[in-house]
Amino acid sequence: MTLDQSTIRQLAERLENAELNRQPVTKITDDYPEMDWDDAYSIQYEIRRRKEERGGKIAGLKMGLTSQAKMRQMGVSEPVYGFLTASGSYADGAEIDSAAFIHPRVEAEVAVMTRTELAGPGCNIGRVLPAMDFVTAALEIIDSRYENFRFDLKSVIADNTSAAGFVSGSVMREADALDLPTLGVVMEKNGEVVETGAGAAVLGHPANSVAVLANMLAARGEVIPAGTFIMTGGITAAVAVDKGDTINVRFQDLGKVSFRMG
Ligand code: 0L1
Ligand code: MG
């Protein structure tokens, strides 16, 4: 850690205010270039604490930067994690108010619910698969609190990995019934195909993403509790969504998930 507690609190407040007021800010490493990974996660955890203190509920966890393409783009070799809030949870087919965001983008993802606790270090896909209660399709809405989505990795971890909302599907399947790496996805925006992909884009297998999450949490002395909803990471690139856009994503064997940005 390089930052003291009062600076951590101040930066968490700055980022959360940017989110609540829809007023983007410059990346925090401009002011604190010496900050480290621990500082970055501590700011994220402080944002989470602030929300919970005000009565906000945590809906689950998310993995980000899980595709080779996105990692290469950021020049990193490790994914990142963040948290999901209940206030950012939307039903399939929802009309979502664009005023809630700064510059939203959408990613198609596979989400899982865990049945039993998962702990690292040393967690692997073989431990994750039997611990998965069900798999469902989901869309993540990301919305960086930084101007023009311009950030570096530490800044984006502090900003809860751009998490802003999610839409979960209504088809739930057991992991055994699916071949997750070859599970195909087609994303349409206003009726036109804009992205396609397969589950293997997520660290080779979406369940591997859950194992990596358990191992990353272990570094902070934490586990994935039983009954945790986890967005495993983007299968497609993130697509910008403007007021009036309709997003419809078809997932092989998991139905479709859609929303309209109103
Ligand atoms: O969920 C994600 O993969 C996003 C991680 C943060 C980077 C971004 O905002 O694109
Ligand atoms: Mg994502």
Side-chain angles (χ1 to χ4, degrees):
M1 295 274 289
T2 67
L3 302 181
D4 59 31
Q5 273 313 308
S6 122
T7 311
I8 299 271
R9 278 198 294 273
Q10 216 180 82
L11 291 171
E13 186 178 0
R14 187 196 293 183
L15 285 171
E16 212 208 354
N17 282 344
E19 176 195 343
L20 299 175
N21 303 325
R22 285 39 134 183
Q23 283 293 333
V25 293
T26 53
K27 66 182 193 314
I28 56 176
T29 48
D30 287 350
D31 295 333
Y32 297 93
E34 77 287 4
M35 67 181 269
D36 65 20
W37 306 109
D38 255 4
D39 294 323
Y41 275 109
S42 295
I43 296 165
Q44 182 193 120
Y45 278 66
E46 174 62 14
I47 294 173
R48 177 175 170 159
R49 192 201 62 75
R50 288 169 63 89
K51 290 186 185 303
E52 288 187 290
E53 188 180 59
R54 295 197 306 271
K57 297 277 176 263
I58 302 305
L61 297 172
K62 64 159 278 189
M63 287 291 278
L65 301 176
T66 45
S67 72
Q68 288 301 328
K70 252 186 147 167
M71 278 194 258
R72 254 197 315 274
Q73 190 181 25
M74 297 289 295
V76 296
S77 56
E78 268 218 342
V80 293
Y81 68 87
F83 64 89
L84 305 169
T85 60
S87 60
S89 167
Y90 299 95
D92 183 18
E95 168 103 7
I96 300 179
D97 185 1
S98 59
F101 308 98
I102 303 166
H103 38 203
R105 298 178 181 178
V106 61
E107 298 177 334
E109 307 205 5
V110 161
V112 308
M113 179 69 88
T114 59
R115 178 188 295 131
T116 53
E117 179 182 291
L118 281 165
C123 188
N124 57 40
I125 195 166
R127 302 241 305 267
V128 173
L129 285 170
M132 277 159 57
D133 195 7
F134 64 81
V135 177
T136 192
L139 307 181
E140 184 181 20
I141 301 173
I142 57 170
D143 190 32
S144 176
R145 270 56 68 166
Y146 297 116
E147 289 167 355
N148 306 312
F149 261 86
R150 267 210 298 273
F151 45 69
D152 53 22
L153 200 61
K154 287 170 190 158
S155 296
V156 82
I157 289 169
D159 183 28
N160 191 22
T161 66
S162 307
F166 63 100
V167 185
S168 24
S170 35
V171 175
M172 281 139 209
R173 305 284 304 269
E174 292 196 359
D176 294 1
L178 301 166
D179 180 24
L180 287 172
T182 64
L183 188 135
V185 167
V186 179
M187 182 189 285
E188 291 169 0
K189 176 169 149 179
N190 304 326
E192 290 198 2
V193 174
V194 286
E195 285 291 331
T196 57
V202 184
L203 297 176
H205 192 305
N208 189 35
S209 176
V210 177
V212 172
L213 174 62
N215 293 330
M216 291 175 86
L217 288 174
R220 288 187 76 99
E222 294 173 20
V223 298
I224 303 176
T228 302
F229 179 79
I230 303 166
M231 304 274 298
T232 59
I235 292 174
T236 60
V239 170
V241 200
D242 293 318
K243 188 176 166 76
D245 286 343
T246 297
I247 300 293
N248 184 40
V249 185
R250 282 174 281 151
F251 289 77
Q252 184 183 347
D253 299 328
L254 287 175
K256 65 178 181 57
V257 189
S258 60
F259 70 89
R260 183 176 181 278
M261 192 64 87

